[in-house]
Amino acid sequence: MKSNRILFIVSIVLAVMLYFWTGSLLALVGALFLGGLMLFLALGVLATRWLTEIDISVPASCTVGGDAFIVLRLRRGLPVSAALITFDIASTSATFRSVERHVASIAMNTRHNAEIRIPLNADYYGRTEVTMDRCWCEDPLGLFRCSLALSMHQSCVVYPAAMTLATNVKHVPLSRAFGETYDESRSGSDVDEVFDVREFQAGDHLASVHWKLSSKFDVMMSRQFSHPVDFELIVASVAALSDASGSALEPPLLNGVAAVSEAISSDFVQQGFSHNYALPVNGELVSVMVDGVEAMDEVSELLLDAPLSKRYAESVACLMSSEVSTRFTKCVLVTPVFDEHLWAQLSFELDLSVVLVTAGSGVQQIGGNYDLVVVDVEDTEGHERCISL
């Protein structure tokens, strides 16, 4: 911009000097034309700045792969485009730790271009923050620029693609004390047999509260029933931005992991299976107790707001440090990474079912010492699939 302005000024000065030296009317006309053009462009930029008002809107939500747009709507402006308006917009995905910038120069007027749509990347599930801190108008030749008092910060929630999975749970190690069935053939499964009482902790079911002791000690006390009655089922979604070798995992695959894990949890709710849903978040395994349809909202919030680990090893470390085998008797592990070492280790400690999510492999199921099911996210589109866990 500065160089163009200097070039115009030098051209005007040279034209004026040429007129005084030679008396050429052509030089005078050229100087007046260039000066008038600069004045016209400057007035156009100022008029655009003073008279332009723009509304910016972002869809509140959409689905992965759907059409989403940042809509710029001219609320007040000129009937002709006197200057270009430039928008510097940033889209930040907290889940995928990515920032995408959109710098668009648009000629807007009330007659033809009163509404402009800029595509919003909906390839990543999660919450996307759309911000604009800079906006300015300038003439087409880049001589003058003025900032517009326009800023924006809005959120767009991108939901994983809806997936229908029907699950057949072969072993249900859930407590009858919490309204579920349990293995009556195992010792210590009598719900009346309490082996410990401790203070109520986050994640404990309200049915385990010992109300008489709670009133006596003025603090909520929780009963610990015999094993495995107070143990439950957990759905753990273990993914990361890169696999065990450090190669980046493609967004469709990670979107598939989110969709599959949420679909499994939703189907468990439909069958009445109380369970925990867990994700690695910032170095620890964060879990949500899912004991009804209303709790699925908490699952969605956790899934959409949790940033993915940068490396697969970090997610595995969160899972192992959580001592999942001492808190649960059955784990459904949803992952995009083939990791026989981890699966073998977990299968020695608890009843393990692995759901390996792939994209375009065409594989449906392979055998192993543990339940291992392969779900191809491309193959499950548009129809229901039944898996045994």
Side-chain angles (χ1 to χ4, degrees):
M1 178 195 301
K2 187 176 180 180
S3 60
N4 289 351
R5 191 181 305 165
I6 292 175
L7 180 62
F8 257 71
I9 294 174
V10 170
S11 299
I12 293 174
V13 171
L14 290 176
V16 171
M17 292 176 61
L18 184 62
Y19 168 72
F20 282 109
W21 287 341
T22 64
S24 171
L25 291 177
L26 185 61
L28 178 61
V29 171
L32 293 175
F33 173 77
L34 293 176
L37 180 60
M38 289 189 68
L39 179 61
F40 174 77
L41 294 175
L43 291 176
V45 170
L46 291 175
T48 301
R49 179 189 182 188
W50 291 334
L51 300 177
T52 299
E53 292 183 5
I54 299 174
D55 291 328
I56 304 177
S57 61
V58 176
S61 63
C62 63
T63 305
V64 167
D67 293 330
F69 298 93
I70 303 169
V71 180
L72 311 172
R73 187 174 292 105
L74 198 62
R75 184 170 57 187
R76 189 183 73 175
L78 298 171
V80 294
S81 301
L84 293 173
I85 303 175
T86 302
F87 304 90
D88 187 357
I89 302 174
S91 302
T92 305
S93 171
T95 305
F96 283 76
R97 305 171 185 261
S98 64
V99 179
E100 201 172 274
R101 302 204 74 88
H102 308 271
V103 180
S105 296
I106 303 169
M108 301 185 71
N109 59 71
T110 57
R111 296 181 63 187
H112 303 293
N113 296 325
E115 181 177 298
I116 302 295
R117 295 189 172 195
I118 300 176
L120 178 65
N121 188 354
D123 293 336
Y124 307 134
Y125 80 88
R127 195 176 304 277
T128 298
E129 301 292 337
V130 183
T131 58
M132 183 183 67
D133 298 323
R134 296 195 308 150
C135 179
W136 64 90
C137 58
E138 61 183 348
D139 63 274
L141 298 181
L143 299 179
F144 305 99
R145 174 185 293 183
C146 286
S147 297
L148 289 178
L150 188 65
S151 62
M152 178 263 296
H153 186 169
Q154 298 182 34
S155 295
C156 176
V157 177
V158 183
Y159 291 100
M163 183 177 295
T164 304
L165 287 178
T167 59
N168 174 31
V169 182
K170 294 181 288 187
H171 307 290
V172 187
L174 301 179
S175 168
R176 177 174 289 178
F178 298 163
E180 305 292 349
T181 60
Y182 64 99
D183 188 355
E184 298 182 9
S185 64
R186 298 184 61 176
S187 175
S189 289
D190 183 0
V191 297
D192 294 327
E193 183 181 347
V194 179
F195 71 91
D196 192 16
V197 178
R198 58 166 172 76
E199 287 191 21
F200 188 86
Q201 298 178 358
D204 287 350
H205 201 285
L206 287 176
S208 67
V209 175
H210 197 302
W211 296 108
K212 289 185 178 180
L213 285 180
S214 298
S215 61
K216 180 178 181 179
F217 293 104
D218 199 25
V219 63
M220 289 185 70
M221 305 296 292
S222 179
R223 294 174 294 174
Q224 295 296 103
F225 294 97
S226 300
H227 293 248
V229 172
D230 60 337
F231 281 11
E232 297 183 6
L233 168 67
I234 183 172
V235 177
S237 178
V238 179
L241 296 176
S242 60
D243 60 18
S245 64
S247 301
L249 292 171
E250 295 297 324
L253 192 59
L254 296 173
N255 292 330
V257 172
V260 169
S261 61
E262 190 174 31
I264 291 174
S265 184
S266 178
D267 189 68
F268 283 170
V269 169
Q270 297 299 322
Q271 297 185 59
F273 294 158
S274 177
H275 63 283
N276 277 53
Y277 182 91
L279 287 173
V281 181
N282 297 326
E284 64 176 332
L285 194 71
V286 178
S287 64
V288 174
M289 181 67 181
V290 186
D291 53 4
V293 177
E294 297 79 6
M296 286 302 300
D297 292 337
E298 296 184 45
V299 171
S300 294
E301 290 181 12
L302 175 63
L303 186 65
L304 296 171
D305 292 332
L308 287 167
S309 303
K310 292 183 179 180
R311 292 176 291 274
Y312 171 70
E314 296 175 2
S315 296
V316 172
C318 292
L319 178 66
M320 301 309 293
S321 63
S322 67
E323 299 180 348
V324 64
S325 60
T326 63
R327 300 167 55 196
F328 303 95
T329 53
K330 184 174 181 63
C331 174
V332 178
L333 180 66
V334 184
T335 178
V337 179
F338 193 95
D339 190 350
E340 287 185 302
H341 176 73
L342 172 66
W343 303 343
Q345 183 177 353
L346 289 175
S347 65
F348 280 117
E349 301 172 347
L350 75 170
D351 184 357
L352 177 67
S353 294
V354 178
V355 180
L356 180 64
V357 180
T358 64
S361 69
V363 179
Q364 293 298 312
Q365 188 164 348
I366 54 182
N369 296 328
Y370 33 77
D371 293 328
L372 177 56
V373 179
V374 177
V375 175
D376 189 332
V377 293
E378 295 182 4
D379 184 63
T380 54
E381 292 181 358
H383 64 275
E384 181 180 277
R385 180 174 170 199
C386 181
I387 58 176
S388 295
L389 303 171

